[in-house]
Amino acid sequence: MRNKLIIGIICFLVALGFILAINAQTAPKVPAKVIIGDVACLSGTYAKAGEQAFGGIKAIVKWVNEVHGGVKIGGKKVPLGHKYYDSESKKEVVTSLVERLITVDKVNCVLAPYSSGLTLAGAPIAEKYGMLYMDHGGASDRIFQQGYKYIVQTIGPGSRYHVGTLDMIHKIDPTAKRIALAYEDDEFARMVMMGAEKHAEKLGFKIVFKRTYPKKVTDLTPLLSDLKAAKPDIVLGGGHYEDGQLFGRQMGDLDINVKSLSLVASATLPAYYPALGTLAEGVMGPSHWEYGVTYSPEAAKKIGLEWIGPTQDEFVKLFKAALGKDIIPDYHAAEAGAAVLAYVLGIEKANSIEPAKVRAALDKLKFMSFYGAWDIDETGLQIGHSMIDMQWQGGKRVIIWPPEAATGKLYYPMPTIAEKAKGKLAVPK
C-alpha cells in the first residue's frame, strides 16, 4: 500500500513537471521593455518633415507609456522605449544605422526614415535580419513590389496622392480641362505623377505639360516658362519641401496664373506659409491628416473598427510638448505616430514581440486612431487610409476635400499673382 502511494506521488510530480515545462515553452517571452528603433531625419534634406515625424513618434511613445500603461504581453504591461539616431537624410547613413539598431542596440522593430528613397535604402537590411520595418514616410508603391516580407506601411501609396484633387476639380469645374504635371525626379514624386496622369486621363483631362525636375534644383525658371506657355488651367506637382517652396515662389516671379495649384509634401507643411507669405494663398496640397479631421472613438464604433490612441487634441498637446515648440503637427507627425500605434496593437494581438508573429497579426489588423483608418494588403501596402486635400486660406490650413472631412469650402479659382501681391486672401465669403 505504501509503495503504491509513493509511486502515485512520483507520477503526479512527473506529470506536474511535464505540464509546467510545456507551459514554460509556450508562454510568451515578456521583455523588460519593448524598444522601437528610429532612423530619424533630424538634419539634411528632409529635416523639416523629419522633425515632424520625430515629434509624432515621441508623442505617441509618451501616450503608450503614461495613458495606455505600456505594451501588453503575456498579461503584463511593459514600457515602450525609443532608440533613435539622426540619418542626416542620407542613404548610406540609413543602411548603417538600420543594421546598428538591429545588431548592436537589439531593438524589437525599426521605424523607417522619411521619404521613399531612404525607406527603400533601409528595407534590404531589415529584411536580411527578419526585422519588422514600419514605414511611415515612404509612399512609393514600388517599395511594396520588391517581395519584402517585413515592411508595413502606414502612409498611403504615392499613386493616390493627387487622385482626390483631380476628383474635386472634375466635380466643381467641368470646364477646367488643361492639366500641367511638374514633379521632382524622385522615387516618391515620380509615383505621384504616374498616378495623377493615369487618373487625369481617366477623368477626361488633357495633359498639356508633363516634366520632371532634378533633385536639389535651385532654379525652376526654364521649366516654369515652358509650363506657362502650355497655358494650363490646373498645375499639379512638387516633390519635397525645398523644391515646393521654390516652385511657388518662381511661379510668382513669372506671373503664372492658374485656377488651381496643388503641391505634394511641401504646401502642407506649417513652414510653407511663413516662407511664401500671401503667395501661398489658395495653394493646395494632398495630405494624410490635418488638424480638424473628425476621426474619433465614436466614428470608429460606427463603422465597427477598434480605436486606439489619443484624441486629435490630446495628440496635438503631446506633440507640442515632445518638440518643445508651439506648432500644430502636420501629417508627417500623425502618420509616424500612427505607425507606432499599429506596432503596439500588433504586439498585443500577437501576444509576442517576435517579428514574424507581429507581422502576421498586422496582416489581420484593422483599426482607427486620430490619424484615421488603418489596414494593409498582403504586401504590407496601406489600403485602409483615405487622403484629404487642404488649402491655405488667410494663412490657415483648411480641409476642403472630401466633403465628409472638410472643415471649410474651397476658394476657387485661386487669387492671381497680382491680387496676392496686393494682399488678397483666399478666404471664401
Side-chain angles (χ1 to χ4, degrees), residues 210-229:
K210 177 189 168 189
R211 197 177 298 176
T212 59
Y213 54 82
K215 295 177 72 172
K216 298 184 179 178
V217 65
T218 56
D219 184 9
L220 283 167
T221 302
L223 179 146
L224 291 174
S225 296
D226 291 347
L227 181 150
K228 183 178 182 180

Side-chain angles (χ1 to χ4, degrees), residues 26-348:
T26 57
K29 293 179 181 176
V30 181
K33 200 172 195 177
V34 174
I35 304 174
I36 52 174
D38 180 11
V39 193
C41 293
L42 299 177
S43 60
T45 305
Y46 304 128
K48 285 285 182 188
E51 180 190 43
Q52 284 274 336
F54 186 68
I57 292 164
K58 285 188 71 176
I60 293 302
V61 169
K62 185 178 177 67
W63 180 87
V64 169
N65 287 326
E66 296 184 5
V67 181
H68 194 57
V71 187
K72 189 175 182 181
I73 312 171
K76 298 178 181 177
K77 290 230 175 178
V78 299
L80 181 64
H82 179 206
K83 179 68 179 178
Y84 64 89
Y85 295 103
D86 179 12
S87 72
E88 303 171 35
S89 306
K90 296 177 180 175
K91 287 184 180 179
E92 63 274 19
V93 181
V94 166
T95 55
S96 170
L97 290 180
V98 170
E99 189 148 31
R100 179 187 174 91
L101 284 165
I102 297 169
T103 61
V104 178
D105 298 305
K106 308 291 185 187
V107 299
N108 301 112
C109 88
V110 173
L111 294 170
Y114 175 73
S115 86
S116 297
L118 295 183
T119 297
L120 271 167
I125 311 300
E127 195 73 12
K128 172 183 165 185
Y129 290 99
M131 174 59 63
L132 203 57
Y133 192 52
M134 302 296 287
D135 168 22
H136 62 82
S140 173
D141 300 43
R142 201 165 69 82
I143 298 168
F144 300 88
Q145 296 164 358
Q146 311 302 311
Y148 296 135
K149 296 178 181 176
Y150 287 93
I151 186 164
V152 171
Q153 188 182 47
T154 290
I155 189 176
S159 57
R160 301 285 302 171
Y161 267 61
H162 268 139
V163 167
T165 316
L166 288 163
D167 286 338
M168 175 176 63
I169 300 297
H170 181 66
K171 182 172 183 178
I172 64 164
D173 184 5
T175 67
K177 290 291 185 185
R178 300 171 66 82
I179 299 276
L181 305 175
Y183 293 85
E184 185 183 23
D185 190 6
D186 161 88
E187 177 65 42
F188 156 68
R190 285 194 303 272
M191 194 59 65
V192 179
M193 184 164 75
M194 183 203 72
E197 181 179 16
K198 187 177 178 182
H199 198 63
E201 289 175 344
K202 180 182 173 185
L203 294 177
F205 287 106
K206 183 179 181 181
I207 310 294
V208 297
F209 182 88
K210 177 189 168 189
R211 197 177 298 176
T212 59
Y213 54 82
K215 295 177 72 172
K216 298 184 179 178
V217 65
T218 56
D219 184 9
L220 283 167
T221 302
L223 179 146
L224 291 174
S225 296
D226 291 347
L227 181 150
K228 183 178 182 180
K231 298 179 179 178
D233 297 314
I234 311 295
V235 175
L236 306 179
H240 293 93
Y241 178 64
E242 299 293 347
D243 57 280
Q245 210 186 113
L246 182 69
F247 202 119
R249 185 178 299 114
Q250 293 197 322
M251 277 189 72
D253 294 342
L254 294 171
D255 194 27
I256 301 176
N257 293 299
V258 292
K259 290 183 172 179
S260 187
L261 166 65
S262 179
L263 299 172
V264 296
S266 181
T268 55
L269 284 168
Y272 189 78
Y273 195 93
L276 270 74
T278 53
L279 260 183
E281 286 291 327
V283 177
M284 303 189 303
S287 176
H288 294 281
W289 180 87
E290 289 292 322
Y291 182 73
V293 292
T294 54
Y295 306 121
S296 65
E298 294 74 24
K301 189 177 180 181
K302 279 183 182 176
I303 57 174
L305 286 180
E306 181 177 357
W307 171 272
I308 185 173
T311 64
Q312 174 183 255
D313 286 338
E314 289 168 346
F315 174 69
V316 171
K317 188 176 178 181
L318 287 164
F319 173 84
K320 289 181 178 180
L323 290 186
K325 295 181 178 179
D326 186 22
I327 56 174
I328 295 292
D330 70 11
Y331 76 79
H332 300 96
E335 66 203 13
V340 177
L341 291 173
Y343 179 59
V344 169
L345 263 184
I347 289 177
E348 295 186 347

